Amino acid sequence: VDLVKFIKQEYDLIIFDACAIEDGSDAMIVSAYVDKIIFVLASGCTSARRVKNAIASLQKENGKILGIVLNKVKQVNLLSNWLEKYRP
């Protein structure tokens, strides 16, 4: 806690990386000391239900979610899905 206060006084932007919410309580503990949360999600690795539960848990504790980053997205899948839905 003292370390976080010190770091906040010294720097404008601090980024903490924590394990997945389901892997332990680290993310929930860290979330109590940060101003905003960026939720990082690996495409195709987590069910929608698990994502919703994780976000709900964070919002219940502090409600400071700034946004979501979706990584590990396969561009081929994005293009083929788009073409299937929107091809004339």
Side-chain angles (χ1 to χ4, degrees):
V1 175
D2 291 334
L3 176 62
V4 174
K5 288 179 184 176
F6 172 77
I7 293 172
K8 282 185 174 184
Q9 291 173 354
E10 295 294 316
Y11 299 97
D12 296 328
L13 177 66
I14 306 156
I15 299 174
F16 291 97
D17 184 16
C19 65
I21 292 174
E22 295 175 340
D23 292 343
S25 61
D26 290 354
M28 297 302 287
I29 292 169
V30 169
S31 72
Y33 299 101
V34 299
D35 298 323
K36 298 289 181 184
I37 296 168
I38 298 175
F39 192 89
V40 179
L41 173 65
S43 178
C45 293
T46 309
S47 70
R49 178 187 55 80
R50 290 171 74 183
V51 171
K52 287 179 184 179
N53 289 342
I55 290 172
S57 294
L58 284 170
Q59 288 177 326
K60 180 180 176 185
E61 290 297 317
N62 53 43
K64 299 182 278 190
I65 296 178
L66 180 64
I68 297 174
V69 173
L70 180 63
N71 64 9
K72 301 181 183 177
V73 176
K74 295 181 181 177
Q75 292 179 346
V76 174
N77 290 343
L78 285 177
L79 180 59
S80 64
N81 289 342
W82 184 85
L83 289 173
E84 287 176 19
K85 290 180 183 178
Y86 300 104
R87 184 179 295 168

